[in-house]
Amino acid sequence: MSNKVVKETMSKRLLTGLVVPLSLGAVLAGSSIFVISQTNKNVSLEDKAKSELLGSLLLPNKEEAKIIKKENMEIAESNNKVNLGSCFVPKKELTEIDEHIAKTAWTYYENNYQEKTGLFNAANQYPSTTMWDTGSALAATIAAEDFGIIDDKEFDDKITALIKTLITMDLFKGIAPNKVYNTKTMKMVTYANKVTPDGVGVSVLDLARLVSWLRTLSCKHPKFSHQIDLALKRWNFDTLIKDGRMQSLKRYPETGEIKSFQEGRLGYEQYAAKILEREGHNLNVSSTYNNVDRKDIDIYGITVATDNRTPEEYHSNNSVVSESYIMDAIENGYDDENTPLINNIYQVQKKRWEETGIVTAVSEDNINKKPYFVYNTIFSGGKTWVAKSSKGAILTEHKTVSNKAAIAMSLLYPDDNYSEVLFNKVKSAYDPKKGWYSGIYENGEGYNSSTTANTNGVILSALLYKKYGSMHQICQKCRPSAKSKLLAANNENKNLCESN
């Protein structure tokens, strides 16, 4: 074996053996690393000046060279399967049923993509979206690439177009993204999709959901990190956070006046605040479930955490639903504080089924009849198991089993008998040409056939969770581990040199 081949082989072994991104490999190339063979010490050292990459190397024998080649092939194959080496390693493989669920969900996005802007319609064939729904669509796109539903080229094209939009889009008062945009034109609009040059306001909860998946994207596909940072640096959170809480902005079209309101109630508030706290913002009140606004109640003998800020007094919905807890688990991960709360959200819905025979998985959803959006709740306004409009009207005939809640909870609790009940209930609630419906009406009226980016995005992100675990917890370990491996390798090789 030639000296050049040996050097290249040993270099690759060190680089791939560390399992670090290519950008970190460049750091290795600039370092002087000495490798001392413990089994072949009598072989002469090459002239150090001739070493192009690693400094002085001892020549391995033929058997060692074969082992090195085999290891390189195995490592390269492994690294082709995951984007950041040891970071995104599957803990469970998807089943054929999972793949069917995923492909059905992605159908929605195939039908609702706007190539010019990189945005997806929030509701089927309606060219409008929020930052919340953009976060859901980004989660779906990350999942679709990971599951092999779309190829690298399509993925890169979609992500590049989205980031371009985030970097060039008009911001509300130059502060942050408006609550709503037209997906075709990228113009700020009202919720009725009417162009409004001044915008309607900012939702910090919506921004947090998008930030969560932008950071997952940056972690899983670091080639986009710089551009993501450029997009997020455009946003100014100075007026959006106050006294440890999130503050939304609302413009009143009649007067043009802009007012600030504390945003988020127990569940969604903690989900979003934990995301933004990782960005360096002080949200010490909103980021904990154990704050002054929490009130525990008993439902079927199970403790459920609620928010004591009533809509009558604070003019904001405080309903207890499944989605915020599902997303907290999927994205932020389980911890000592949220684990019992998430478990109880699941158990209380299972208990209702056991007591009444009604399969229960409730959340807020678009519906296919007026008023077109309903909160199906565990608890709201002093009552259990009520459906309410955004204005607080009780809508008994609008109760549904939520597909995103049912499928996600079945994936979060795969070993519990109720998970099978949940999936069996909703497994046919989809259109193969449109994606997963929002759900099924409790009263026997059939499918709630509304199809949305959020429903299908939550379902795809739940499948990502099944495969890998919590996105944040993976990424938290991922970046430091790559750096620590590099430093550890340098230190180890340095110590070996000094000892010899």
Side-chain angles (χ1 to χ4, degrees):
M1 182 183 293
S2 70
N3 291 343
K4 182 177 180 182
V5 171
V6 168
K7 280 190 261 185
E8 291 177 349
T9 302
M10 294 295 286
S11 300
K12 290 178 181 177
R13 186 182 188 186
L14 282 169
L15 290 167
T16 55
L18 288 171
V19 196
V20 295
L22 182 60
S23 57
L24 289 178
V27 179
L28 280 175
S31 303
S32 179
I33 301 176
F34 296 85
V35 181
I36 304 299
S37 171
Q38 299 302 305
T39 59
N40 198 18
K41 290 187 177 181
N42 294 325
V43 180
S44 300
L45 288 172
E46 288 193 343
D47 185 347
K48 184 169 65 175
K50 295 179 181 179
S51 176
E52 299 174 358
L53 181 61
L54 298 177
S56 299
L57 297 173
L58 286 174
L59 300 177
N61 58 37
K62 291 182 179 180
E63 291 302 315
E64 288 174 329
K66 290 180 180 178
I67 293 172
I68 292 169
K69 182 177 181 180
K70 181 179 179 182
E71 288 178 349
N72 287 342
M73 293 176 66
E74 290 174 349
I75 292 169
E77 182 180 357
S78 174
N79 284 341
N80 283 334
K81 293 180 180 178
V82 292
N83 293 287
L84 286 176
S86 61
C87 299
F88 280 85
V89 176
K91 64 176 187 178
K92 289 185 179 179
E93 294 296 335
L94 299 187
T95 65
E96 288 185 13
I97 292 175
D98 295 331
E99 291 174 355
H100 162 71
I101 295 170
K103 290 176 181 177
T104 299
W106 183 249
T107 301
Y108 173 85
Y109 296 97
E110 291 177 331
N111 296 334
N112 285 279
Y113 183 60
Q114 305 292 351
E115 187 174 358
K116 180 180 177 181
T117 63
L119 298 173
F120 292 88
N121 303 329
N124 188 48
Q125 301 302 312
Y126 187 68
S128 173
T129 194
T130 67
M131 292 303 98
W132 182 278
D133 296 297
T134 301
S136 294
L138 178 55
T141 308
I142 293 170
E145 185 276 337
D146 186 276
F147 302 156
I149 300 172
I150 61 175
D151 62 21
D152 291 346
K153 170 64 174 170
E154 183 176 352
F155 177 76
D156 288 354
D157 288 350
K158 283 179 165 55
I159 296 301
T160 300
L162 172 62
I163 293 175
K164 178 182 177 181
T165 285
L166 294 177
I167 287 176
T168 59
M169 70 197 316
D170 291 335
L171 303 179
F172 179 81
K173 300 293 290 183
I175 296 172
N178 188 50
K179 289 182 178 180
V180 203
Y181 287 85
N182 184 294
T183 55
K184 290 183 176 180
T185 66
M186 208 171 66
K187 298 291 186 182
M188 292 192 292
V189 294
T190 66
Y191 283 105
N193 214 21
K194 302 292 185 182
V195 174
T196 171
D198 295 327
V200 296
V202 174
S203 168
V204 188
L205 292 181
D206 287 14
L207 299 185
R209 179 148 178 74
L210 179 54
V211 169
S212 177
W213 287 101
L214 283 171
R215 289 309 186 195
T216 296
L217 172 65
S218 180
C219 169
K220 201 168 188 297
H221 300 274
K223 65 183 179 180
F224 296 111
S225 294
H226 174 63
Q227 286 78 16
I228 290 170
D229 287 341
L230 291 177
L232 294 180
K233 284 177 182 177
R234 299 184 70 209
W235 306 356
N236 183 355
F237 281 89
D238 290 347
T239 59
L240 303 177
I241 294 172
K242 181 181 179 182
D243 299 329
R245 294 183 184 270
M246 294 170 287
Q247 302 287 131
S248 66
L249 299 177
K250 180 179 179 180
R251 185 178 71 84
Y252 291 83
E254 301 83 4
T255 64
E257 182 182 11
I258 299 171
K259 290 187 177 181
S260 176
F261 299 92
Q262 187 276 320
E263 187 177 22
R265 294 297 180 262
L266 199 80
Y268 283 105
E269 183 175 14
Q270 285 67 36
Y271 157 74
K274 285 192 277 187
I275 293 165
L276 295 179
E277 200 167 53
R278 294 196 293 269
E279 297 293 304
H281 305 296
N282 178 16
L283 288 162
N284 60 306
V285 178
S286 291
S287 61
T288 175
Y289 287 96
N290 297 320
N291 64 27
V292 296
D293 303 310
R294 175 174 167 177
K295 179 183 178 181
D296 290 347
I297 63 169
D298 182 280
I299 305 175
Y300 291 129
I302 298 170
T303 300
V304 175
T306 71
D307 197 302
N308 61 24
R309 291 168 288 182
T310 64
E312 293 76 17
E313 183 178 358
Y314 291 91
H315 308 289
S316 183
N317 194 304
N318 67 343
S319 298
V320 179
V321 297
S322 303
E323 186 172 340
S324 65
Y325 292 96
I326 289 168
M327 294 187 304
D328 197 17
I330 290 172
E331 297 170 43
N332 295 322
Y334 286 95
D335 55 45
D336 292 340
E337 186 177 276
N338 70 12
T339 296
L341 303 180
I342 297 169
N343 287 340
N344 285 359
I345 289 293
Y346 174 78
Q347 292 297 335
V348 77
Q349 296 181 81
K350 175 183 177 181
K351 188 67 174 178
R352 182 179 183 240
W353 165 70
E354 292 173 340
E355 293 291 327
T356 67
I358 301 171
V359 177
T360 305
V362 297
S363 202
E364 74 281 23
D365 279 300
N366 287 62
I367 61 173
N368 59 354
K369 57 184 178 181
K370 291 182 179 180
Y372 303 113
F373 190 88
V374 172
Y375 293 89
N376 279 281
T377 73
I378 295 170
F379 181 84
S380 183
K383 297 180 180 180
T384 58
W385 314 111
V386 294
K388 302 175 73 173
S389 72
S390 57
K391 295 182 179 180
I394 303 296
L395 302 169
T396 303
E397 296 303 307
H398 293 64
K399 289 184 180 181
T400 65
V401 180
S402 172
N403 273 1
K404 63 187 175 188
I407 294 175
M409 287 195 295
S410 74
L411 292 168
L412 288 177
Y413 296 90
D415 300 324
D416 188 89
N417 66 313
Y418 188 50
S419 67
E420 185 177 352
V421 173
L422 286 171
F423 182 67
N424 189 55
K425 177 68 177 180
V426 303
K427 67 181 181 181
S428 297
Y430 69 90
D431 184 325
K433 295 181 180 180
K434 293 182 179 180
W436 287 94
Y437 296 142
S438 290
I440 304 173
Y441 288 106
E442 273 193 11
N443 64 5
E445 286 187 9
Y447 296 132
N448 169 20
S449 59
S450 173
T451 53
T452 68
N454 194 48
T455 287
N456 288 282
V458 170
I459 289 170
L460 279 162
S461 61
L463 288 166
L464 266 181
Y465 177 87
K466 175 183 178 176
K467 185 174 179 179
Y468 295 113
S470 159
M471 299 298 102
H472 164 62
Q473 290 176 341
I474 293 170
C475 293
Q476 187 180 40
K477 294 177 182 178
C478 179
R479 290 298 178 85
S481 67
K483 293 179 182 178
S484 64
K485 284 182 181 180
L486 176 61
L487 293 173
N490 279 321
N491 289 335
E492 181 180 354
N493 290 323
K494 180 180 179 182
N495 292 335
L496 282 171
C497 288
E498 291 174 350
S499 64
N500 284 272

